[in-house]
Amino acid sequence: MTVTLADVAARAQVSPATVSRVLNGNYPVAATTRDRVLRAVDELDYVLNGPASALAAATSDLVGILVNDIADPFFGIMAAAIQSEIGGPGGRAGGERLGVVCNTGGSPERELTYLTLLQRQRAAAVVLTGGAVENTTHAAAVATKLRKLADAGTRVVLCGRPPAPADAEAVALTFDNRGGGRELTEHLIGLGHRRMGYIAGPEERTTTRHRLEGHRAALAAHGIADDPAWTVHGRYDRRAGYEATLELLRREPSLTAVVAANDTVALGACAALRDSGLRIPDDVSVVGFDDLPFSVDAVPALTTVRLPLSEAGARAGRIAMGREEAPDGGIVTVQGELMVRGSTGVPKG
Amino acid sequence: MTVTLADVAARAQVSPATVSRVLNGNYPVAATTRDRVLRAVDELDYVLNGPASALAAATSDLVGILVNDIADPFFGIMAAAIQSEIGGPGGRAGGERLGVVCNTGGSPERELTYLTLLQRQRAAAVVLTGGAVENTTHAAAVATKLRKLADAGTRVVLCGRPPAPADAEAVALTFDNRGGGRELTEHLIGLGHRRMGYIAGPEERTTTRHRLEGHRAALAAHGIADDPAWTVHGRYDRRAGYEATLELLRREPSLTAVVAANDTVALGACAALRDSGLRIPDDVSVVGFDDLPFSVDAVPALTTVRLPLSEAGARAGRIAMGREEAPDGGIVTVQGELMVRGSTGVPKG
DNA sequence: TCACACATAGAAAGCGCTTGCTGCAACGCT
DNA sequence: AGCGTTGCAGCAAGCGCTTTCTATGTGTGA
């Protein structure tokens, strides 16, 4: 029924071993023989059996990419960049690998299950993107799993995700969330803001915590009291931003600025402010984080911190493929860049 | 080094066959034996070797999801919905399958290569999302490939993609792009617009063509002449929308409305209009397509056609898993819903 | 009590490929 | 001319699992 290596070998009048070597190209094969084999492959329309070679060679050409939410461009952009580098079709030279984007939905259990699935497939590499959940027992479970993967020869790269202490020797590209958060708030302080609400992401997430810490560091540095009531947690989506803003306004109607955990949340915040009859930035300034493509199109355009998502993803992909040296020490912190736009201004009051 | 089925068998004092049967659960195994095996699996921290079972069983638990642009929420949303249904971790019951999101970047070659890669992996199913390229030779190549996949037992489902004539018996969920396009334009005509620019997507794409046809059908139905100069093609991104709008304005400064191929493009159009000193909808109305999450947040909120991306994706996922009957005839057309919002109004002039 | 069906476990034959090792020319060296 | 190299191709042993077929023990009806 299906064409096998042996069929090709028979047709090309060589041994299966030779065909295998031609296909893998890591063993000297005479040019004329190679051509004969290649022709046979073509004529028979042969397609290698992936599982069989993975079994025999003890490695597969799958590369796992774990994301928290594939519907969120933050992850979509990184995933696209990673995939473009792991040499899938259209990628650079080298083996054709299959980039597998796995959507964990931010759930620790799913993350773990996906890692097991990838381990089961003997994945060549795994890239974990985005913030991690800061639950000790879960973090330990993930670290254990990652260690096992690494031991089994799977390359592990973190992208936009701080290495947990237990992750030890993993290669990591992390974003300077703390620094970005601080810059954003200092920008607002510089404009004269003192009463700023903060819409944080879900609790127990590294990204959430780091950005919030940056915000607080800025407040502290300028001697501004940090009223816990001015911080509201929620998911990283528009709706959460909308509701959190309404809640913030209820708690403290005199706010002059809203600092959102990311651009998507900021958009929701803008909508809530508008619906409350407030003008941006005249009445209230708003800042986001990430600088997703749509942020520049918001009205007014969003002041935010640009994260080089695409570049970081590409680099992570290259490292995962072993095409680029892992950085010294294994960890690199990628800086964001403050983008001042129309959504922030001098407070009226 | 690594734990194998045999190790588990030895530990549980049963034969490898029994362990396999316990793990696959499709053969009667006495409860006490099963427990013993399961305990051994646990103690040994055994992880099934995917390639090996795929080889032996001649099927794998991979499901391919092909998208044109993973960074675009249009695809991200569908991909997320599909993945949530194919029973990956967190999905419903049933085998744990690994959803593989493949980013074709809209390139026919990549699409083909990915299909080959999936064929090589003996994927259990493949879901193709989004518009197809209307290049005859390429379409034929894809159809051939799909037929081969189907013959090899891979379930093939199209989601938001019209079946090419050659795709014959494939199951397809397609969006009513033509109908949506028509509705949008009729809405504008109803408001009194007569001079409307159209920003189309890339040529040679089914989605592009269908939406444009809907637009033209509406014009024709109302006896409005269709000036080809008022249609500009471009990519499906913000920037293309921005530039196309500028171009349109240059060609015909008296336009009262801009019809964009999708919401992302519409956002770019809005930016261009604003930068040109025009107000929306007072000077120019704008409509999009898809109703992506951010569209309601645009200022003014975008009038568009809502496509049930999530629902369609979920259904496609279920069909791919064989958990839902394929529709009669194999093809279902999913309707969009016109969402009238602030970006459209009565023309001034 | 004996034959027979039923339930459960094992033996063993692959699945299609990779790769270490062996075999054998043709070649260059002294 | 003799012998060690070098360059290519083949042999065959698995890789770890699934599954058919067979064997065994237990319960049933006559």
Side-chain angles (χ1 to χ4, degrees):
Chain A
M1 184 64 228
T2 62
V3 183
T4 73
L5 235 210
D7 299 330
V8 176
R11 171 134 198 160
Q13 317 230 53
V14 297
S15 72
T18 302
V19 177
S20 170
R21 298 203 257 246
V22 168
L23 262 23
N24 291 298
N26 43 6
Y27 189 89
V29 174
T32 77
T33 312
R34 180 203 316 289
D35 289 349
R36 202 143 30 90
V37 170
L38 257 19
R39 191 158 354 108
V41 165
D42 223 63
E43 291 168 350
L44 261 29
D45 208 8
Y46 170 68
V47 175
L48 192 66
N49 183 316
S53 38
L55 172 57
T59 69
S60 83
D61 46 10
L62 251 46
V63 174
I65 302 172
L66 267 64
V67 300
N68 285 341
D69 181 6
I70 191 64
D72 181 341
F74 176 83
F75 292 101
I77 292 169
M78 277 198 288
I82 296 169
Q83 264 206 346
S84 79
E85 288 292 339
I86 60 176
R92 341 300 235 214
E96 296 207 319
R97 301 202 127 69
L98 227 199
V100 181
V101 177
C102 305
N103 198 204
T104 65
S107 143
E109 296 76 35
R110 287 210 206 180
E111 182 167 285
L112 229 32
T113 319
Y114 267 126
L115 286 175
T116 301
L117 242 29
L118 288 165
Q119 179 185 8
R120 170 176 305 180
Q121 298 299 334
R122 306 301 190 251
V126 171
V127 181
L128 303 177
T129 66
V133 169
E134 298 198 295
N135 172 317
T136 331
T137 86
H138 174 251
V142 170
T144 307
K145 195 53 118 182
L146 292 183
R147 146 103 1 84
K148 274 185 197 141
L149 278 163
D151 287 351
T154 297
R155 224 177 313 240
V156 176
V157 180
L158 308 184
C159 179
R161 173 173 179 136
D167 292 344
E169 82 263 23
V171 176
L173 261 45
T174 79
F175 295 126
D176 183 17
N177 286 311
R178 220 174 313 233
R182 177 164 181 156
E183 254 186 296
L184 243 10
T185 298
E186 286 194 320
H187 161 66
L188 288 170
I189 294 174
L191 286 172
H193 293 272
R194 290 298 177 273
R195 293 186 305 284
M196 295 169 269
Y198 191 93
I199 309 180
E203 308 211 49
E204 284 217 324
R205 286 298 205 34
T206 51
T207 308
T208 299
R209 182 164 62 77
H210 293 159
R211 291 183 181 178
L212 183 49
E213 282 174 6
H215 170 69
R216 291 191 170 146
L219 293 182
H222 293 265
I224 300 175
D226 173 31
D227 186 335
W230 293 5
T231 294
V232 176
H233 283 269
R235 275 166 310 123
Y236 276 123
D237 62 23
R238 168 186 188 274
R239 173 137 196 203
Y242 189 94
E243 285 162 5
T245 303
L246 259 23
E247 173 64 24
L248 241 24
L249 250 24
R250 208 170 299 130
R251 294 188 189 169
E252 181 53 61
S254 72
L255 288 179
T256 63
V258 170
V259 181
N262 73 16
D263 290 354
T264 308
V265 170
L267 237 49
C270 289
L273 291 171
R274 266 195 307 275
D275 289 357
S276 303
L278 295 168
R279 307 207 309 155
I280 305 166
D282 307 327
D283 299 314
V284 179
S285 287
V286 174
V287 302
F289 206 117
D290 294 342
D291 195 24
L292 295 184
F294 58 70
S295 304
V296 70
D297 280 323
V299 181
L302 219 49
T303 289
T304 186
V305 164
R306 157 167 294 169
L307 251 26
L309 263 18
S310 225
E311 292 77 0
R315 183 155 181 209
R318 267 177 268 126
I319 294 174
M321 294 295 289
R323 231 164 343 87
E324 177 173 325
E325 273 306 292
D328 272 354
I331 303 184
V332 175
T333 299
V334 178
Q335 300 299 324
E337 181 192 354
L338 180 66
M339 309 295 287
V340 176
R341 296 202 273 243
S343 70
T344 48
V346 174
K348 253 197 336 204
Chain B
M1 184 63 229
T2 61
V3 183
T4 72
L5 236 211
D7 298 331
V8 176
R11 172 134 197 161
Q13 318 229 55
V14 296
S15 72
T18 301
V19 177
S20 170
R21 298 205 258 246
V22 168
L23 262 23
N24 291 298
N26 44 4
Y27 188 90
V29 174
T32 75
T33 314
R34 179 201 317 289
D35 289 350
R36 200 141 33 87
V37 170
L38 257 19
R39 190 157 357 106
V41 165
D42 222 63
E43 291 167 353
L44 259 29
D45 208 8
Y46 171 68
V47 175
L48 191 67
N49 183 317
S53 39
L55 172 58
T59 69
S60 84
D61 47 9
L62 250 46
V63 174
I65 302 172
L66 268 65
V67 300
N68 284 343
D69 182 6
I70 191 63
D72 181 341
F74 175 83
F75 292 101
I77 291 170
M78 278 197 287
I82 296 170
Q83 264 206 346
S84 79
E85 289 291 339
I86 59 176
R92 342 298 235 217
E96 296 207 320
R97 302 203 127 69
L98 226 199
V100 182
V101 178
C102 305
N103 200 203
T104 66
S107 144
E109 295 76 36
R110 286 209 206 181
E111 183 169 281
L112 229 32
T113 320
Y114 268 126
L115 286 175
T116 301
L117 242 29
L118 288 165
Q119 179 185 8
R120 172 177 303 182
Q121 300 298 334
R122 305 301 189 252
V126 171
V127 181
L128 303 173
T129 67
V133 170
E134 298 198 295
N135 173 314
T136 331
T137 87
H138 173 253
V142 169
T144 306
K145 196 52 119 182
L146 292 183
R147 146 103 3 84
K148 274 185 197 141
L149 280 163
D151 287 351
T154 298
R155 222 177 313 242
V156 176
V157 180
L158 308 184
C159 180
R161 173 173 179 135
D167 291 344
E169 81 264 26
V171 176
L173 261 45
T174 79
F175 296 125
D176 183 16
N177 287 312
R178 219 172 315 228
R182 179 166 179 153
E183 255 187 296
L184 243 11
T185 298
E186 288 195 321
H187 161 67
L188 288 170
I189 293 174
L191 287 172
H193 292 272
R194 291 297 177 273
R195 293 186 305 284
M196 296 169 270
Y198 191 94
I199 308 180
E203 308 210 48
E204 283 217 325
R205 287 296 202 39
T206 52
T207 307
T208 299
R209 183 164 59 79
H210 293 158
R211 293 184 181 179
L212 182 49
E213 283 174 4
H215 170 69
R216 292 190 169 148
L219 293 183
H222 293 264
I224 300 175
D226 173 32
D227 186 336
W230 293 4
T231 294
V232 176
H233 283 268
R235 275 168 307 123
Y236 277 124
D237 63 23
R238 169 189 187 274
R239 174 138 195 201
Y242 189 94
E243 286 164 4
T245 302
L246 259 24
E247 174 63 23
L248 241 22
L249 250 23
R250 208 170 301 129
R251 295 188 189 170
E252 182 53 64
S254 72
L255 288 179
T256 62
V258 171
V259 180
N262 73 15
D263 289 355
T264 309
V265 170
L267 238 51
C270 289
L273 291 170
R274 267 193 308 275
D275 290 358
S276 303
L278 295 168
R279 307 205 308 156
I280 305 167
D282 307 328
D283 298 315
V284 179
S285 288
V286 175
V287 302
F289 206 118
D290 295 342
D291 195 23
L292 295 184
F294 57 71
S295 304
V296 70
D297 281 324
V299 180
L302 217 51
T303 289
T304 186
V305 163
R306 158 168 293 169
L307 251 25
L309 265 16
S310 228
E311 293 77 1
R315 182 152 181 214
R318 268 178 267 126
I319 294 174
M321 294 296 287
R323 234 168 336 90
E324 177 174 325
E325 272 306 292
D328 272 353
I331 303 184
V332 174
T333 299
V334 177
Q335 301 299 323
E337 181 190 356
L338 179 66
M339 309 296 288
V340 176
R341 296 201 274 244
S343 70
T344 48
V346 174
K348 251 196 339 203

